[in-house]
Amino acid sequence: MFLSDTMMSSNCSFEDVDHLMKYMELVIYIPVFIFGLILNTVALFVFCVILRKWTESTIYMSSLALMDLLLLFLLPFKMHASNHQWSAYLLSFCSVLESLYFVGIYGGIYTIMCIALDRWVAICHPYKAKQLRSPAKALGICVGVWVLVLVSIFPKSYHFRNPEQKTFHCFHTFSETGWSPPVIICLQVFGFLGPALVVIYCSVCTIRALQRSGQHSQLSQACVKIIYSSLSAFLLPFTPSHVAILLQFLVRSTAMIQDCSTKSSISLFIQVTLCLSNITCCLDALCYYFIAHEVRSMRKSFKMVVRVAQDVTS
């Protein structure tokens, strides 16, 4: 999961890694919090006030901005928890914060997947798009994503901590239940790998379709930039962190990795990548810029967009 975890062992010590991460987390989280808060707030203002007309794209991106703001709201708690132990009476409060953090992360992943699917349908299947796409359907899908991640995460995350602890580090050191094989397999397959394959497939197909059209190059290039920015905002933060989670799982649950220096390297790798995964709140701003450009272009030349889509399928 997207929470740093001190890998304790009777033979290995990771105090140096933990000490380094106390400062590194602050160095990463503070600029992410400041810039992410500004960029996502501005994005919501643009979508809700300046653009005014709601389209499928602006609805998906507004939902993604709300997911990012949820993550940003939790960063101060993560920064505090990195340097302070919490008392046992805050255990339930910590579980709520951790659950909301998961909701923001995996809700964002599924929202990006929906954006890729929506764009694939619009460009690669323009005739079906009229029946499959609408602002109302996009809003329903976004609400469905929020409900899905809330229902999937909250009931499980409350069992990831030992209730007998007198003091603990929130966002750190899950119990064995949190690192059980069913949890990690579901996290890797349904939380990341499945959505990643969908995003990559839809992005590749859409880019090829736009390149084959060979017409209205400026609009096509703008769409390609949107796709690349969305793909980058997905893969750059989340791929290393999920690889690190898998390595951490192998350390905790198997005897495959025994060397202390290797364990220490994995401990540093997972904590750094989990910290850096929060830059998704800033990377999504690239998508916001291109989406805003896309919406304005479509307003000015809707008929031209339709012709491009028809040429793609001919």
Side-chain angles (χ1 to χ4, degrees), residues 106 110 180-193:
Y106 291 101
Y110 271 83
S180 62
V183 171
I184 299 302
I185 291 172
C186 289
L187 184 77
Q188 294 286 342
V189 175
F190 299 107
F192 176 70
L193 184 59

Side-chain angles (χ1 to χ4, degrees), residues 157-169:
S157 60
Y158 273 87
H159 303 289
F160 290 169
R161 293 202 167 275
N162 184 359
E164 298 178 357
Q165 290 178 305
K166 294 182 178 179
T167 59
F168 65 98
H169 277 292

Side-chain angles (χ1 to χ4, degrees), residues 1-2 106 109-110 113 148 180-199 234 238 242-243 245-246 249:
M1 25 238 65
F2 279 79
Y106 291 101
I109 286 176
Y110 271 83
M113 183 189 74
L148 174 65
S180 62
V183 171
I184 299 302
I185 291 172
C186 289
L187 184 77
Q188 294 286 342
V189 175
F190 299 107
F192 176 70
L193 184 59
L197 292 175
V198 172
V199 170
F234 184 93
F238 299 132
H242 281 83
V243 171
I245 290 169
L246 179 60
F249 171 72

Side-chain angles (χ1 to χ4, degrees), residues 74-95:
L74 296 168
L75 285 187
F77 296 99
K78 284 177 62 65
M79 287 187 278
H80 183 274
S82 297
N83 295 279
H84 301 85
Q85 285 197 338
W86 291 11
S87 301
Y89 72 91
L90 292 173
L91 190 63
S92 296
F93 178 62
C94 172
S95 295

Side-chain angles (χ1 to χ4, degrees), residues 8-306:
M8 301 302 298
S9 172
S10 58
N11 298 319
C12 299
S13 173
F14 304 99
E15 292 182 1
D16 293 340
V17 172
D18 294 337
H19 181 73
L20 173 63
M21 288 307 304
K22 287 182 180 180
Y23 299 100
M24 185 173 292
E25 286 178 350
L26 295 177
V27 170
I28 295 172
Y29 287 155
I30 290 175
V32 167
F33 178 78
I34 294 172
F35 289 108
L37 186 64
I38 294 172
L39 292 172
N40 285 280
T41 302
V42 170
L44 282 178
F45 177 79
V46 170
F47 291 138
C48 298
V49 178
I50 297 179
L51 294 180
R52 295 181 183 178
K53 184 178 180 180
W54 287 100
T55 66
E56 294 85 356
S57 296
T58 54
I59 290 172
Y60 284 123
M61 296 308 295
S62 296
S63 181
L64 184 58
L66 290 174
M67 295 284 187
D68 289 339
L69 287 173
L70 177 60
L71 284 179
L72 292 167
F73 168 75
L74 296 168
L75 285 187
F77 296 99
K78 284 177 62 65
M79 287 187 278
H80 183 274
S82 297
N83 295 279
H84 301 85
Q85 285 197 338
W86 291 11
S87 301
Y89 72 91
L90 292 173
L91 190 63
S92 296
F93 178 62
C94 172
S95 295
V96 171
L97 295 179
E98 291 171 344
S99 298
L100 289 175
Y101 188 72
F102 288 144
V103 168
I105 288 289
Y106 291 101
I109 286 176
Y110 271 83
T111 302
I112 293 174
M113 183 189 74
C114 291
I115 292 171
L117 278 168
D118 179 74
R119 190 176 295 116
W120 173 70
V121 171
I123 294 178
C124 297
H125 303 279
Y127 298 109
K128 295 181 180 179
K130 293 181 180 180
Q131 289 77 36
L132 297 176
R133 299 176 73 245
S134 72
K137 291 178 181 178
L139 180 60
I141 291 172
C142 289
V143 172
V145 169
W146 280 89
V147 172
L148 174 65
V149 292
L150 285 168
V151 171
S152 300
I153 290 170
F154 263 85
K156 296 291 185 182
S157 60
Y158 273 87
H159 303 289
F160 290 169
R161 293 202 167 275
N162 184 359
E164 298 178 357
Q165 290 178 305
K166 294 182 178 179
T167 59
F168 65 98
H169 277 292
C170 191
F171 294 98
H172 293 254
T173 316
F174 276 172
S175 67
E176 292 302 319
T177 303
W179 288 97
S180 62
V183 171
I184 299 302
I185 291 172
C186 289
L187 184 77
Q188 294 286 342
V189 175
F190 299 107
F192 176 70
L193 184 59
L197 292 175
V198 172
V199 170
I200 293 171
Y201 173 80
C202 292
S203 299
V204 170
C205 291
T206 305
I207 290 173
R208 287 180 177 176
L210 289 169
Q211 291 174 342
R212 283 201 304 266
S213 67
Q215 298 182 22
H216 310 297
S217 58
Q218 290 185 348
L219 185 59
S220 296
Q221 290 175 4
C223 291
V224 170
K225 289 180 180 178
I226 295 168
I227 297 168
Y228 278 126
S229 64
S230 299
L231 193 59
S232 299
F234 184 93
L235 294 177
L236 290 178
F238 299 132
T239 303
S241 58
H242 281 83
V243 171
I245 290 169
L246 179 60
L247 293 175
Q248 171 76 314
F249 171 72
L250 294 177
V251 169
R252 293 179 62 98
S253 304
T254 70
M256 294 176 61
I257 302 174
Q258 297 290 333
D259 181 64
C260 282
S261 62
T262 303
K263 289 184 178 182
S264 180
S265 298
I266 293 174
S267 176
L268 181 61
F269 178 54
I270 187 171
Q271 295 192 58
V272 170
T273 55
L274 293 177
C275 285
L276 291 176
S277 67
N278 292 280
I279 66 173
T280 183
C281 299
C282 297
L283 291 178
D284 288 338
L286 295 174
C287 305
Y288 303 153
Y289 168 78
F290 289 123
I291 286 290
H293 178 77
E294 175 195 33
V295 171
R296 290 187 177 184
S297 299
M298 290 178 70
R299 280 185 178 181
K300 294 179 181 179
S301 54
F302 180 75
K303 292 183 179 180
M304 184 176 66
V305 176
V306 173

